[in-house]
Amino acid sequence: TGRYVRAGSGVLAATILSVDILTGAFSSNRDGASLRYTDTNNWLMVVSTYCSNSYRTISLVKRVAATVTTIASVNVTPPYPTSWVTLTVGADASGNCMVYYGPQGGATSPIMLTLADANLATAGTIASGGYGIYDSNISATAATRYYDNFTVSTLATSATIINPAINSGYGLDLKHN
């Protein structure tokens, strides 16, 4: 459940999307961005779910033929409970995805990588699609949420996804199905 905001009419395959998000303290919500949105039954999203003021769970989620599957997820510590963060996701024509997370205006770090998902690759169910913002309140009390600096562009090559630079002091979860 939640709200899907389609931003424009483009349909892209090799895409990188970035959005800055600010969420109020103690807010039980999910927010993020849709990448390769075809319809409510077929999409790829990166979702940030509030768990506590000390961490959020960032998930790469796909929905194919109305079946939702979490491809990968990782817990992250926000810079501050109520600070702007940048969430970036890239997907290429081979079905590879990379997710980056960090403070707004600062260096984002890779937090997860998935390789060769058949549904995301050329000729897959969600090989291309639209893009936008995803927002869902999961508690009785709604928190104020802000979205800014929403950008979408095409990837030059798959090398951007397959060979990401890893910053020292940060880990990378490598998951494959």
Side-chain angles (χ1 to χ4, degrees):
T1 62
R3 289 166 291 286
Y4 306 83
V5 178
R6 176 91 188 254
S9 59
V11 176
L12 302 173
T15 311
I16 191 161
L17 179 149
S18 185
V19 63
D20 293 342
I21 301 170
L22 174 67
T23 305
F26 308 108
S27 61
S28 296
N29 66 303
R30 291 187 298 254
D31 40 48
S34 60
L35 183 73
R36 298 189 180 179
Y37 178 90
T38 303
D39 56 38
T40 56
N41 291 314
N42 298 286
W43 44 253
L44 172 66
M45 289 189 196
V46 61
V47 179
S48 172
T49 304
Y50 173 85
C51 298
S52 73
N53 271 351
S54 60
Y55 77 98
R56 295 184 71 86
T57 299
I58 309 296
S59 303
L60 187 63
V61 183
K62 68 180 178 181
R63 185 171 187 172
V64 177
T67 301
V68 176
T69 305
T70 299
I71 299 171
S73 65
V74 63
N75 292 335
V76 296
T77 303
Y80 301 99
T82 58
S83 61
W84 282 95
V85 296
T86 299
L87 195 53
T88 302
V89 61
D92 68 17
S94 299
N96 303 313
C97 293
M98 185 72 187
V99 178
Y100 298 81
Y101 177 85
Q104 180 189 38
T108 57
S109 299
I111 58 170
M112 72 178 81
L113 169 70
T114 64
L115 299 174
D117 186 301
N119 290 301
L120 307 177
T122 301
T125 307
I126 45 179
S128 65
Y131 40 84
I133 293 173
Y134 171 72
D135 182 86
S136 177
N137 188 59
I138 55 177
S139 72
T141 305
T144 303
R145 293 161 326 259
Y146 298 95
Y147 297 86
D148 198 8
N149 300 321
F150 181 84
T151 59
V152 178
S153 59
T154 58
L155 289 167
T157 66
S158 293
T160 310
I161 295 294
I162 296 170
N163 303 309
I166 298 177
N167 298 321
S168 65
Y170 292 93
L172 177 69
D173 286 345
L174 178 63
K175 300 185 179 192
H176 187 276
N177 58 350

